[in-house]
């Protein structure tokens, strides 16, 4: 069921025989030549973009070459598939080699759905345009008549982006032209995309039984995958239907065998879809794990409450902000209903149906 | 080597307590910074170190040690450090066509049910072998991390057997030290929790002389405090056995970690 865009065997054999791991600190002169990569500011690690600028920012600048990113799928697998397609599209634009494997549908189908790149480089992301509140002054220079103490406070920036640009922007409403997906260079990064690993279609019983017989098959595979990634110039994105796996201990060891781990939870089909608190977003995103490679401290994101939304052309991740309560007469009842949703308004993530009284 | 941790543990590289088994564990947190501490600690103490690096590549450990002021490559060349790179060695077993009979340490991958005899033999030969000219101190075994063996299909009983054999050889016979990392997930009280690593942790805690248990903050995520570590030392004085528990919060920096009493972080005060 695997569809290597170029022959996979050649790539792995080639990179394994040159016996260096991708975890060495790279000297600039040697590797700056690979397109679509840049060294990390923190540890000199070679990074590639995931295609989603805000996700790059969350993961400390991008995916380090030689690591595995685990994406916990949302229930209908629409947004996790979207991130996977972004990842592959970025590889196509940077002329990296791709390896796609999927059990549910033909990997060629995934490749045909890749979003079209916006290649004019001056394009400023539309994400910068914030949904402004009606009461917010349009011009920040405008002097405040009331609440003037807040005049000098910096504007809250809810979209996530680093100052320098890395990666490309894509238009998800269009698909990529098939001609773009052809050419490739000799010594290059290999991007591996594995779709819905652990689902029953791969012959795994992890998601079907409480006590799976082959509970070590997937973890052993992930260990081998990490070993393979570390010894070659490649980077992998694995999506996994984590909501199907009942055994949390197993899920924990799966997460620890990947380097980065994020989980998506979409509002689709849940009662939160109609909840006015979340009307600006399509789902919540959790960063479960960030790696610490070549250094002691890991790059934890400074904000844990994250939400994603799919605009007409673009997928983006933002800080979760609750909308202001604008109604003039707020009854206690409706406030109680709003705060009763599992993520409390101050975003501590503590479940419960407590009222927020302040 | 974190000097603050040394003063907490009352240890210094100049005087090593013989026969210690240190268990480092974590739950929904990451305790691997402590492994780097112990690696540099024992290398500074001029011990003969055997390191089973199962989860990361040698370059990672080497780069971190460089920041802590030690060169692993030099230690390897001098014969002080024996390093097993589990990821690299497992490839030759998982992809059999490039099989080279260098080391049999990871042979358990072929048949995980058979136990960890090959790994123990590797440990034994590397701590007793005297291939170097210099005379090193007592042998030390460090494992990062033991629970990945469970993920590879080895049963918890087999891992406990392995650690018991190692303890008999290193701690009792050769009067050396052992440091083992076990990573758990999930809640402690949970009934259907992680049977394997839970059982492993209990078994090791029963044998050990010192445990360092790392957890996230119970109050939730904080940028300036990365978690708390519980230090529990078992002392035998005559027949009376009493435990000493201490709880510290910590923050990991670029080149070390700082430990402080609860609520005394500079971010709070």
């Amino acid at each position: 069921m695997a569809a290597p865009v170029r022959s996979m065997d050649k790539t792995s054999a080639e990179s394994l025989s040159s016996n260096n791991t991708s975890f060495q600190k790279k000297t600039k002169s040697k590797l700056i030549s690979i397109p679509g990569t840049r060294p990390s500011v923190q540890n000199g690690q070679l990074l590639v973009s995931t295609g989603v600028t805000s996700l790059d920012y969350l993961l400390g600048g991008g995916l380090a070459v030689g690591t595995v990113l685990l994406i916990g799928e949302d229930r209908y697998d629409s947004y996790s598939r979207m991130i996977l397609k972004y990842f592959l599209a970025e590889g196509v634009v940077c002329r990296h080699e791709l390896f796609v494997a999927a059990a549910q549908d033909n990997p060629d189908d995934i490749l045909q759905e890749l979003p079209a790149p916006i290649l004019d480089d001056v394009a400023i992301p539309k994400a910068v345009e914030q949904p402004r509140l009606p009461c917010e002054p349009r011009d920040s220079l405008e002097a405040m008549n009331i609440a003037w103490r807040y005049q000098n406070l910096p504007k809250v920036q809810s979209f996530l982006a680093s100052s320098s640009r890395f990666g490309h922007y894509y238009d998800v409403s269009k698909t990529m032209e098939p001609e773009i997906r052809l050419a490739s260079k000799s010594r290059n990064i290999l991007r591996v995309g594995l779709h819905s690993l652990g689902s029953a279609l791969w012959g795994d019983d992890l998601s079907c039984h409480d006590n799976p017989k082959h509970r070590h098959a997937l973890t052993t595979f992930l260990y081998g995958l990490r070993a393979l990634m570390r010894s070659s110039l490649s980077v992998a994105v694995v999506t996994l239907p984590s909501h199907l796996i009942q055994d949390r201990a197993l899920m924990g060891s799966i997460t620890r065998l990947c380097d980065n781990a994020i989980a998506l939870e979409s509002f689709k089909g849940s009662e939160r879809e109609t909840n006015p608190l979340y009307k600006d977003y399509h789902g919540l995103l959790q960063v479960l794990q960030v790696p610490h490679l070549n250094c002691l401290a890991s790059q934890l994101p400074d904000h844990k409450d994250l939400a994603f939304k799919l605009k007409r052309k673009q997928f983006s991740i933002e800080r979760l902000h609750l909308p202001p309560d604008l109604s003039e007469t707020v009854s206690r009842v409706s406030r109680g209903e709003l705060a009763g949703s599992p993520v409390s308004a101050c975003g501590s993530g503590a479940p419960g149906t407590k009222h927020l009284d302040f | 080597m974190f000097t603050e941790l040394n003063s907490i543990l009352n240890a210094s590289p100049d005087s090593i307590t013989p026969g210690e088994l240190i268990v480092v564990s974590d739950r929904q947190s990451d305790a691997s910074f402590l492994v780097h501490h112990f690696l540099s600690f024992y290398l500074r103490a001029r011990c003969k170190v055997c390191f089973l690096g199962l989860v990361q590549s040698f370059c990672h450990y080497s780069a971190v040690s460089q920041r802590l002021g030690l060169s692993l490559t030099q230690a390897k060349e001098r014969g002080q450090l024996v390093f097993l790179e589990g990821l690299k060695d497992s490839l030759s077993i998982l992809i059999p066509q490039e099989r080279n009979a260098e080391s049999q340490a990871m042979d358990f991958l072929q048949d995980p049910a058979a136990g960890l005899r090959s790994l123990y033999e590797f440990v034994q030969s590397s701590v007793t072998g005297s291939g170097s000219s210099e005379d090193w101190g007592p042998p030390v075994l460090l494992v990062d991390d033991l629970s990945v063996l469970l993920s590879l299909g080895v049963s918890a009983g087999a891992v406990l057997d392995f650690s018991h054999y190692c303890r008999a050889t290193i701690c009792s016979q050769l009067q050396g030290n052992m440091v083992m990392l076990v990573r758990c997930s999930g809640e402690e009280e949970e009934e259907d929790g992680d049977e394997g690593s839970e059982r492993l942790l209990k078994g090791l805690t029963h044998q050990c002389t010192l445990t360092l248990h790392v957890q996230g903050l119970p109050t939730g995520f904080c940028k300036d405090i990365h978690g708390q570590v519980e230090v529990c030392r078992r002392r035998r004085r005559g027949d009376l056995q009493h435990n000493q528990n201490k709880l510290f919060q910590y923050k990991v920096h670029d080149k070390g970690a700082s430990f402080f009493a609860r609520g005394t972080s500079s971010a709070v005060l």
Side-chain angles (χ1 to χ4, degrees):
Chain A
M1 291 295 238
V5 170
R6 246 179 132 227
S7 101
M8 164 67 186
D9 302 340
K10 184 172 159 274
T11 322
S12 61
E14 189 177 79
S15 42
L16 284 173
S17 59
S18 63
N19 204 6
N20 55 351
T21 89
S22 52
F23 266 50
Q24 280 155 352
K25 281 200 173 174
K26 305 293 186 189
T27 48
K28 274 194 177 176
S29 56
K30 193 182 147 202
L31 271 155
I32 205 75
S33 55
I34 299 179
T37 63
R38 71 167 182 196
S40 157
V41 236
Q42 267 83 35
N43 43 24
Q45 205 67 59
L46 197 66
L47 299 178
V48 296
S49 169
T50 56
V52 186
T53 322
S54 38
L55 186 61
D56 283 344
Y57 174 80
L58 276 183
L59 301 175
L63 282 177
V65 173
T67 59
V68 183
L69 165 67
L70 175 76
I71 302 174
E73 287 175 10
D74 53 302
R75 200 172 301 166
Y76 297 106
D77 183 34
S78 42
Y79 299 105
S80 47
R81 197 182 162 104
M82 180 78 72
I83 297 182
L84 182 66
K85 284 190 284 194
Y86 263 107
F87 171 74
L88 296 172
E90 178 69 25
V92 171
V93 172
C94 298
R95 301 264 183 268
H96 295 161
E97 294 184 34
L98 304 185
F99 176 88
V100 190
Q104 195 173 357
D105 36 26
N106 198 326
D108 280 330
D109 294 349
I110 296 182
L111 285 173
Q112 267 155 23
E113 291 169 2
L114 296 186
I118 304 172
L119 284 175
D120 50 340
D121 279 356
V122 280
I124 292 163
K126 288 286 186 288
V128 180
E129 195 74 36
Q130 278 298 298
R132 282 171 192 270
L133 313 171
C135 63
E136 193 180 281
R138 284 265 153 185
D139 189 358
S140 58
L141 294 173
E142 201 175 288
M144 286 184 178
N145 293 324
I146 52 171
W148 43 267
R149 289 203 311 164
Y150 300 107
Q151 177 84 60
N152 294 327
L153 287 182
K155 266 226 160 124
V156 177
Q157 193 192 23
S158 69
F159 65 93
L160 306 163
S162 57
S163 49
S164 64
R165 180 151 159 219
F166 186 44
H168 299 81
Y169 295 108
Y170 297 91
D171 184 349
V172 289
S173 60
K174 294 183 200 136
T175 56
M176 193 181 274
E177 311 280 322
E179 297 85 62
I180 309 180
R181 305 205 311 256
L182 293 174
S184 179
K185 274 171 60 181
S186 55
R187 182 170 172 81
N188 213 334
I189 304 266
L190 172 74
R191 290 186 180 231
V192 181
L194 305 177
H195 180 251
S196 256
L197 211 64
S199 80
L201 289 169
W202 284 103
D204 246 341
D205 54 355
L206 294 177
S207 47
C208 320
H209 298 290
D210 283 346
N211 274 321
K213 268 184 213 148
H214 308 289
R215 56 180 292 149
H216 306 300
L218 183 60
T219 44
T220 310
F221 169 75
L222 286 173
Y223 188 78
L225 182 68
R226 175 185 265 192
L228 207 57
M229 292 294 121
R230 293 287 203 265
S231 57
S232 56
L233 273 178
S234 39
V235 57
V237 168
V238 176
T239 73
L240 188 109
S242 49
H243 53 95
L244 292 182
I245 297 178
Q246 294 299 314
D247 193 342
R248 281 178 54 203
L250 180 64
M251 205 45 226
S253 50
I254 288 172
T255 309
R256 283 196 300 267
L257 282 168
C258 297
D259 300 288
N260 294 287
I262 59 171
L264 302 178
E265 184 193 346
S266 82
F267 298 148
K268 222 186 264 177
S270 86
E271 58 182 16
R272 292 191 198 174
E273 191 179 14
T274 51
N275 193 320
L277 283 182
Y278 296 119
K279 66 177 171 16
D280 290 335
Y281 306 105
H282 287 113
L284 301 176
L285 184 137
Q286 260 184 307
V287 178
L288 301 176
Q289 184 173 284
V290 275
H292 37 128
L293 308 167
N294 293 345
C295 58
L296 272 175
S298 57
Q299 282 290 308
L300 287 167
D302 44 0
H303 211 273
K304 280 250 169 176
D305 305 305
L306 300 160
F308 63 85
K309 65 171 140 188
L310 182 65
K311 282 175 275 194
R312 202 163 59 83
K313 291 184 172 179
Q314 195 191 26
F315 178 86
S316 70
I317 302 164
E318 294 179 1
R319 285 184 194 145
L320 178 63
H321 284 296
L322 297 177
D325 208 351
L326 287 177
S327 58
E328 287 186 359
T329 53
V330 186
S331 65
R332 273 267 172 237
V333 184
S334 73
R335 186 179 286 187
E337 274 170 7
L338 291 184
S341 57
V343 170
S344 62
C346 51
S348 62
T353 52
K354 270 184 278 177
H355 284 270
L356 289 169
D357 293 324
F358 52 81
Chain B
M1 191 173 68
F2 315 145
T3 36
E4 283 181 49
L5 188 61
N6 280 346
S7 60
I8 287 172
L9 299 179
N10 227 341
S12 89
D14 306 324
S15 63
I16 300 267
T17 326
E20 267 208 291
L21 169 58
I22 302 172
V23 174
V24 181
S25 60
D26 65 14
R27 196 182 296 279
Q28 291 172 333
S29 190
D30 196 346
S32 49
F33 68 102
L34 291 173
V35 172
H36 294 291
H37 160 78
F38 284 113
L39 178 60
S40 53
F41 176 83
Y42 286 116
L43 284 178
R44 287 234 164 90
R46 298 185 57 80
C47 292
K48 166 108 182 163
V49 178
C50 173
F51 191 97
L52 306 184
L54 300 173
V55 289
Q56 294 285 0
S57 61
F58 176 74
C59 293
H60 168 76
Y61 297 107
S62 168
V64 177
S65 299
Q66 204 90 54
R67 282 172 192 244
L68 299 177
L70 272 169
S71 166
L72 291 193
T73 328
Q74 275 180 20
K76 247 165 101 171
E77 280 163 7
R78 282 178 302 178
Q80 188 188 4
L81 173 71
V82 181
F83 193 97
L84 173 76
E85 197 174 349
L87 284 174
K88 205 170 167 185
D89 290 358
S90 67
L91 266 190
S92 58
I93 293 167
L94 294 171
I95 309 174
Q97 77 248 18
E98 43 189 292
R99 162 117 217 178
N100 44 357
E102 271 176 28
S103 132
Q104 268 88 49
M106 297 296 280
D107 273 1
F108 64 87
L109 277 171
Q110 280 169 335
D111 181 18
L116 294 169
R117 194 191 171 105
S118 54
L119 193 59
Y120 168 69
E121 277 161 5
F122 172 81
V123 171
Q124 194 194 24
S125 66
S126 54
V127 292
T128 50
S130 54
S132 63
S133 50
E134 285 180 74
D135 200 22
W136 303 109
V140 173
L141 171 70
L142 293 127
V143 187
D144 180 25
D145 74 63
L146 216 51
S147 45
V148 84
L149 295 173
L150 300 174
S151 300
L152 292 174
V154 184
S155 69
V159 181
L160 281 174
D161 286 347
F162 167 72
S163 66
H164 183 76
Y165 269 89
C166 290
R167 185 169 162 241
T169 311
I170 292 167
C171 296
S172 309
Q173 202 183 325
L174 299 168
Q175 292 293 301
N177 283 6
M178 268 165 60
V179 180
M180 305 254 187
L181 172 65
V182 182
R183 308 195 61 189
C184 302
S185 52
E187 306 297 322
E188 203 164 358
E189 290 84 21
E190 223 169 294
E191 284 295 308
D192 57 340
D194 197 348
E195 301 133 12
S197 59
E198 235 28 86
R199 208 184 130 204
L200 181 62
L201 182 56
K202 276 180 195 159
L204 284 174
T205 313
H206 177 69
Q207 303 175 1
C208 72
T209 52
L210 172 69
T211 58
L212 296 163
H213 186 61
V214 177
Q215 279 174 306
L217 284 182
T219 45
F221 172 73
C222 174
K223 208 187 160 197
D224 294 298
I225 306 163
H226 290 156
Q228 60 186 30
V229 52
E230 195 180 349
V231 181
C232 179
R233 185 177 280 283
R234 271 168 46 156
R235 279 211 183 109
R236 287 170 200 277
R237 279 196 190 135
D239 289 327
L240 270 181
Q241 200 184 77
H242 72 272
N243 296 347
Q244 274 186 339
N245 280 25
K246 289 180 202 161
L247 193 67
F248 295 93
Q249 291 177 336
Y250 71 90
K251 181 177 183 187
V252 183
H253 306 291
D254 222 20
K255 289 185 176 170
S258 56
F259 295 83
F260 36 84
R262 266 189 292 182
T264 59
S265 154
S266 55
V268 183
L269 295 179

